[in-house]
Amino acid sequence: MKYTWIRWIFLMSGIIGLTSACTLRTNQSPNEIALLIGTYTNGDSEGIYSFRFNQETGEAIVLDSVQADNPSFLISSSDGTRVYAVSENNDSTDGVSTYAFDKEKGKLKWLNKQLTGKAPCHISTNGQILLTANYEGGSLLLFPLREDGCVEAEGKTYRGSASGVDSLRQTTPHVHCSLFTPDGKQVIMTDFSADRLLCFDLLNDSLRLCDSVFVEAGSGPRHLTFSPNGKQLYLIGELSGNVYVYAYKDRRLQAIQTIESDEVHARGSADIHVSPDGRFLYASNRLKHDGIAIFSVNPSDGTLTHIGYQPTSKHPRHFNLTPNGKYLLVACRDDHVVQVFERNAESGLLRNTGRTIQVPHPVCIQFIL
């Protein structure tokens, strides 16, 4: 019944065309790409929802959904034929699943699952291995990938620590994110409860710790992103509400700037991305004054200047930009919508198109070419 009800809601929203950008058109434009949305399933959500998204018009077309337990983060393989999604249940069933994905039809087929540490909340892969950041488990797990793209049995575990100053949020280890460096030779992990970044050399199917970079005390490092040219790393601190800018050269990080993102100090900063042209950076903030902070990027050294703030619906946990940079989509968990913003390529500012994709508890947005 839940599946039927959700599908009916999606179909009707497309037919009526009220607040949703969804339609039932079946012919595919060259500008249309696959869009996957992961959700929390403690309410009416089915799991993972697939759409076709036109990155020129901002229109979304409903394709399919698949049942999954709390797929709060998901990514795809480089060719888009495999999708990896966590099950963030915070219990013994927590894991990462592999799905076969038909980009044309939007169909997902479950293939296998491997258990992770507690509350996996982020995935990264280079095509040979897959990493899950496990928030409550306080660990980073490395899994080999089989030739068919499925996640193999658990490989190695790398643990965070708890030495931060925040007596509420940093009493136990939490790991929130990991990222492969653009040259593919390292992995950088956010050690949330120790206010540091752990840098690992990548050695085939294992990691070797090579550096520990401390961030501002009480910052709660959360998500990372590199500039398109790979010369800068940007970090959002969940607790401090600051963006931290690092120069990345010769496999080393050097701190060059700290700039405020959350002006009301709500302690809920979440996600961070650079526009595909490298000219602007965006960071989401939750809990109070929900929205997206907008920064221009200095082309010479990657430092930031605050230029605007775009209010959003409630709890913008995750957002993403279309590959062509024209639209920015925001997953607003508590209002059950994905908002579609159009991005001004010259100013970097966002315009609310008024279009929304109605999905229960959306928390992750991924485009697949």
Side-chain angles (χ1 to χ4, degrees), residues 215-216 219 223 225 233-238 240-246 256-262 269-274 281-285 293-295 302-304 306:
V215 192
E216 178 183 13
S219 58
H223 275 197
T225 190
L233 176 72
Y234 299 97
L235 163 69
I236 184 73
E238 178 173 346
S240 67
N242 291 332
V243 174
Y244 304 92
V245 185
Y246 298 86
I256 58 175
Q257 185 188 20
T258 299
I259 187 168
E260 188 175 60
S261 172
D262 175 15
S269 296
D271 203 12
I272 187 167
H273 294 281
V274 180
L281 180 138
Y282 303 86
S284 68
N285 302 297
I294 307 170
F295 304 87
T303 55
L304 305 175
H306 186 273

Side-chain angles (χ1 to χ4, degrees), residues 301-320:
D301 61 5
T303 55
L304 305 175
T305 300
H306 186 273
I307 60 171
Y309 198 87
Q310 176 62 54
T312 66
S313 293
K314 291 182 181 178
H315 207 93
R317 176 185 169 102
H318 187 262
F319 67 94
N320 218 334

Side-chain angles (χ1 to χ4, degrees), residues 82-254:
R82 295 290 183 268
V83 168
Y84 306 100
V86 301
S87 294
E88 188 185 351
N89 301 318
N90 198 24
D91 60 26
S92 61
T93 67
D94 285 341
V96 57
S97 290
T98 309
Y99 296 85
F101 183 54
D102 184 328
K103 291 185 286 185
E104 178 69 23
K105 298 178 181 179
K107 298 286 187 180
L108 287 157
K109 179 182 179 182
W110 183 86
L111 297 178
N112 82 329
K113 176 181 177 179
Q114 300 293 345
L115 297 179
T116 64
K118 279 193 174 182
C121 59
H122 190 272
I123 308 171
S124 55
T125 183
N126 64 355
Q128 285 78 48
I129 61 173
L130 181 140
L131 304 171
T132 67
N134 310 297
Y135 183 76
E136 291 296 343
S139 63
L140 181 71
L141 263 65
L142 183 154
F143 297 90
L145 292 177
R146 302 191 320 221
E147 288 188 4
D148 63 0
C150 288
V151 180
E152 189 56 273
E154 177 186 332
K156 296 179 174 63
T157 300
Y158 305 87
R159 300 197 177 278
S161 61
S163 56
V165 299
D166 192 301
S167 60
L168 295 176
R169 297 290 306 279
Q170 295 180 315
T171 57
T172 59
H174 299 303
V175 175
H176 218 300
C177 173
S178 68
L179 202 64
F180 289 89
T181 57
D183 61 12
K185 296 179 179 180
Q186 290 187 309
V187 168
I188 301 176
M189 178 187 102
T190 58
D191 195 3
F192 179 95
S193 295
D195 294 321
R196 63 179 181 172
L197 301 178
L198 295 183
C199 303
F200 299 89
D201 286 331
L202 180 57
L203 307 173
N204 296 321
D205 60 351
S206 65
L207 304 177
R208 180 181 64 194
L209 183 65
C210 62
D211 199 7
S212 181
V213 179
F214 285 91
V215 192
E216 178 183 13
S219 58
R222 182 179 169 99
H223 275 197
L224 302 163
T225 190
F226 272 96
S227 59
N229 63 14
K231 294 182 179 180
Q232 287 84 34
L233 176 72
Y234 299 97
L235 163 69
I236 184 73
E238 178 173 346
L239 302 180
S240 67
N242 291 332
V243 174
Y244 304 92
V245 185
Y246 298 86
Y248 182 71
K249 185 178 180 181
D250 299 328
R251 305 190 198 179
R252 294 291 178 181
L253 292 172
Q254 178 184 359

